[in-house]
Amino acid sequence: MAAPTDPHHTMNHVIHRALRRDLERLEVVTREPLDDARRAAVCAHVTWLLDFLHHHHVSEDEGVWPLLLRRRPDLAPMVEEMNAEHAVLAAGSDRLRAAAAEHAADGSDAARRRLHDAVVGMQEATLPHLEHEEAVAMVPLVESLSPSDWDDLSRNHFRKGLSFADSGTSLMWDLDDADAATAATVRSEVPGPVLWLLTRLFGGRYDRAAAVRWGPLAGTRA
């Protein structure tokens, strides 16, 4: 991860934007019954999304916050708040994961309504946390961590354990319906030849899957 210079143009903001976007889409598409193909696609995406979010939060909990505290021990109360909010999100994630697994196996309207309720619960847990993190954490992170710190976090936390397919899918997810500034932030993270290869291998696959799960809500990948 390149060292950010502007707290409003970081990969954390890119990820937050994509998470808000997909939770909003999930809330809309689960309001009404889903045909079998869309139900399978939506439930599979929920699982992927929660796996990605778990990896992201573990990277923050085990990498970002301890490193920040070494630079700024005075921020311990803020980090405690972030960790507590992550625990709330984990509970919401567990509920949503279970509801998606249930609806993948059970196409009933009752299971669909439980999935919708779990999506709404996840929104209620997630959106205030994202706003809080952006408001109180991003400026000290940008000011306190050096380029070598961000390189270390990227190598040993954010990218650690991700497969080539994980990296390709998450890159396409970041670029989904992205504006020019967001797309520029994402592309600055990836060498040109690697971006070309990942787009060639995963771009079309991502777009086709997105069209199935989102229908008219699908965006255009930047």
Side-chain angles (χ1 to χ4, degrees), residues 113-129:
R113 288 196 297 271
R114 284 190 286 273
L115 176 58
H116 180 263
D117 288 346
V119 170
V120 172
M122 190 66 182
Q123 284 182 306
E124 291 172 348
T126 302
L127 300 185
H129 167 68

Side-chain angles (χ1 to χ4, degrees), residues 158-189:
F158 289 111
R159 292 176 184 166
K160 186 177 181 179
L162 294 180
S163 69
F164 190 66
D166 291 332
S167 297
T169 301
S170 62
L171 180 64
M172 299 307 110
W173 181 73
D174 290 335
L175 291 170
D176 185 349
D177 215 26
D179 58 26
T182 299
T185 298
V186 175
R187 292 187 174 116
S188 71
E189 294 287 312

